[in-house]
Amino acid sequence: MADLAPQPVPHGPPPPTSTRDALRRTLHWRRRIFAITWLAYAGFYFVRQAFSVAKLGILDDPAVHTVLTEQVLGVIDAVYLAAYAVGQFLWGMWADRFGPRVVVVGGMIGAIAASCLMGMSSALLVFGGAMAVQGLAQSAGWAPLCKNMGNFFPVRERGRVLGVWSSNYAFGGLAAPPFLGWWAYSVFDSWHAAFLAGAATLAVVLAAFLVFQRDTPPDAGPADLRPADTEVRPGDTHAGPTEAGSADAHPSGPTRLAEEPPASRPGARRAPLALYRETLQDRMVLTLGAAYFLLKPARYAILLWGPVIVSRRLPEVGNLGATLIPVAFGVAGVLAPVLIGWLSDSVFGSRRVPPCVLALGLLTVALVLFMPLTATGSAGVMIAVLAMIGLSVYAADAMISCVAAVDFGSAGGAGTAAGLVNGCGSVGAILGGLLPGFLSGTTLFHGFAGAALLAGLLMLPQWNRVPAPA
């Protein structure tokens, strides 16, 4: 009967958590954060692309096309992009101060509301106001989510990891137009449906984001994983600022998280102007901002006006065909960040500039050749040229706006750096939304080619620059 006697209750601390268990939890949370932040930014595009898809129906709608002309639609795009640029300069800093979660959730709610409003009205003032709200809401996505990823992944992995992660916006630009076009022109035969379908899609993504997202490793749960730039070496009793992934096997107690740098915690309040001053001291951040300003117009012109551009060059394909052909631009864009991220880490040793310069050179050639090649009237040639433009523009875009911006930002100012670089790009994107409504194709694409060439020349002197932590 001795086996039935009460057993002594153990006292003292629980047994230490093994390094293997800590690594397993670390990998679990990294995969989870990667997946939910990827989905979140892709989801933004199902609202963002609604206006691009709706333009075809608006221009064919006798009830509104005399008011909502191509020039007016271009101005509305410019209003959206101006608000988007303002938001980029703001929300990255807010993410540094308050954490990405609150900023991204607020942006999603605003984007859904604005899209619903545009789906239920065709009044010019309503469109203009809703697009301004949409611009501010959409800009709450990129910089905060880049910071969110930077909190979980170390510098030496970011080229590959953020390269794959940056496929989110290329995927959004690829998947959203045919999905929204199908609802608008095949199911409901109304351009209004594009806005409502986009809002419903983002609402589903918002629900998932609220459940699965966390801002930083400590937020993922006590002792679940340590910050992204720490590891334990044999014999250490504390973490050093190097590769991520291990936990602290303290000899006298359970696994402990290394103290996170104060500047990287959302709760650490720093003056906004101090964050900007610190970020602007690095000439590399300014170079990235200038290059992104020059690069962004070409991508946004095709993103916002792709169906109209295809329809002008190939009028025989119809509205649905003009919506589907630019998918080639998005397919190449999905592959481009993965390729350039691998090149940056594996071939160029974490140098971000060389692959950017190569991509900008390829983009310059593709833009110069767009008009003469598409003059053949061949849908196959149009698909091939758009794919080449998509491959080169998305490669440079992902490296500049995400990987390099996070790398060259300070530990507590990665969101501010990403926001500043993306804000500069968003100012340039205004031209991408505005100019296609006013300029001929030859002038437009030659101008974009010159801007891409200048961006490459600006970055060329920084060829061997590497992030300080690397």
Side-chain angles (χ1 to χ4, degrees), residues 151-211:
N151 286 341
F152 283 81
F153 292 90
V155 168
R156 65 183 296 177
E157 297 177 5
R158 284 180 192 161
R160 293 184 296 273
V161 173
L162 291 182
V164 176
W165 183 83
S166 295
S167 64
N168 51 20
Y169 64 91
F171 175 83
L174 163 67
F179 175 78
L180 300 176
W182 178 72
W183 282 104
Y185 301 122
S186 294
V187 178
F188 291 105
D189 194 24
S190 170
W191 56 266
H192 293 277
F195 294 104
L196 299 177
T201 303
L202 185 58
V204 173
V205 173
L206 170 59
F209 188 81
L210 288 170
V211 173

Side-chain angles (χ1 to χ4, degrees), residues 16-36:
T17 303
S18 70
T19 299
R20 178 174 296 180
D21 288 342
L23 281 171
R24 179 178 54 80
R25 288 194 298 271
T26 296
L27 291 174
H28 163 75
W29 276 102
R30 286 187 178 179
R31 290 170 183 148
R32 174 168 163 172
I33 294 302
F34 182 102
I36 193 59

Side-chain angles (χ1 to χ4, degrees), residues 23 29 61 114 120 184 191 206 290 306-308 322 328 345 386 456:
L23 281 171
W29 276 102
D61 188 345
M120 293 184 290
W191 56 266
L206 170 59
V308 176
D345 279 350
L386 286 176

Side-chain angles (χ1 to χ4, degrees), residues 255-281:
T255 300
R256 298 182 297 114
L257 273 173
E259 183 68 17
E260 186 183 6
S264 68
R265 292 195 297 262
R269 299 290 187 260
R270 299 175 63 192
L273 291 180
L275 279 172
Y276 267 108
R277 281 196 299 267
E278 181 180 338
T279 303
L280 289 170
Q281 286 174 355

Side-chain angles (χ1 to χ4, degrees), residues 51-222:
F51 189 42
S52 175
V53 171
K55 283 175 183 172
L56 292 170
I58 291 171
L59 294 174
D60 288 340
D61 188 345
V64 297
H65 79 271
T66 56
V67 176
L68 297 176
T69 64
E70 285 192 16
Q71 288 74 25
V72 171
L73 295 180
V75 171
I76 291 174
D77 270 334
V79 169
Y80 160 80
L81 291 167
Y84 187 85
V86 171
Q88 288 281 11
F89 288 110
L90 293 175
W91 304 137
M93 178 188 67
W94 277 47
D96 284 331
R97 286 171 59 78
F98 304 114
R101 183 182 181 87
V102 65
V103 180
V104 175
V105 168
M108 286 186 178
I109 293 172
I112 292 168
S115 191
C116 288
L117 189 60
M118 295 181 74
M120 293 184 290
S121 174
S122 56
L124 178 58
L125 291 179
V126 172
F127 257 56
M131 284 297 279
V133 173
Q134 188 68 254
L136 288 171
Q138 289 281 334
S139 62
W142 184 252
L145 290 173
C146 284
K147 178 180 177 63
N148 204 166
M149 283 291 291
N151 286 341
F152 283 81
F153 292 90
V155 168
R156 65 183 296 177
E157 297 177 5
R158 284 180 192 161
R160 293 184 296 273
V161 173
L162 291 182
V164 176
W165 183 83
S166 295
S167 64
N168 51 20
Y169 64 91
F171 175 83
L174 163 67
F179 175 78
L180 300 176
W182 178 72
W183 282 104
Y185 301 122
S186 294
V187 178
F188 291 105
D189 194 24
S190 170
W191 56 266
H192 293 277
F195 294 104
L196 299 177
T201 303
L202 185 58
V204 173
V205 173
L206 170 59
F209 188 81
L210 288 170
V211 173
F212 295 109
Q213 186 269 350
R214 298 293 184 272
D215 276 349
T216 61
D219 293 340

Side-chain angles (χ1 to χ4, degrees), residues 192-430:
H192 293 277
F195 294 104
L196 299 177
T201 303
L202 185 58
V204 173
V205 173
L206 170 59
F209 188 81
L210 288 170
V211 173
F212 295 109
Q213 186 269 350
R214 298 293 184 272
D215 276 349
T216 61
D219 293 340
D224 266 357
L225 72 164
R226 60 177 63 251
D229 287 327
T230 60
E231 74 171 356
V232 173
R233 304 181 189 91
D236 281 354
T237 58
H238 65 279
T242 55
E243 175 70 13
S246 300
D248 203 2
H250 195 278
S252 62
T255 300
R256 298 182 297 114
L257 273 173
E259 183 68 17
E260 186 183 6
S264 68
R265 292 195 297 262
R269 299 290 187 260
R270 299 175 63 192
L273 291 180
L275 279 172
Y276 267 108
R277 281 196 299 267
E278 181 180 338
T279 303
L280 289 170
Q281 286 174 355
D282 193 333
R283 185 177 177 182
M284 186 61 187
V285 173
L286 299 181
T287 301
L288 293 172
Y292 204 39
F293 168 81
L294 295 165
L295 170 67
K296 203 73 173 279
R299 183 168 78 87
Y300 263 71
I302 297 176
L303 189 68
L304 299 177
W305 287 88
V308 176
I309 291 172
V310 171
S311 181
R312 286 173 178 171
R313 304 296 288 173
L314 305 173
E316 66 276 6
V317 300
N319 283 356
L320 187 57
T323 302
L324 293 176
I325 286 176
V327 166
F329 179 77
V331 169
V334 171
L335 300 175
V338 180
L339 175 61
I340 198 170
W342 176 82
L343 286 172
S344 175
D345 279 350
S346 301
V347 177
F348 294 106
S350 294
R351 286 181 294 161
R352 313 307 184 192
V353 175
C356 280
V357 172
L358 296 176
L360 289 166
L362 180 61
L363 176 62
T364 301
V365 174
L367 290 170
V368 168
L369 295 177
F370 179 84
M371 292 302 290
L373 289 178
T374 58
T376 62
S378 167
V381 171
M382 174 68 77
I383 290 171
V385 177
L386 286 176
M388 185 60 67
I389 294 174
L391 181 69
S392 52
V393 76
Y394 275 106
D397 190 293
M399 187 56 60
I400 293 173
S401 67
C402 182
V403 183
V406 172
D407 278 356
F408 289 103
S410 63
T416 302
L420 192 149
V421 171
N422 280 273
C424 292
S426 298
V427 173
I430 296 172

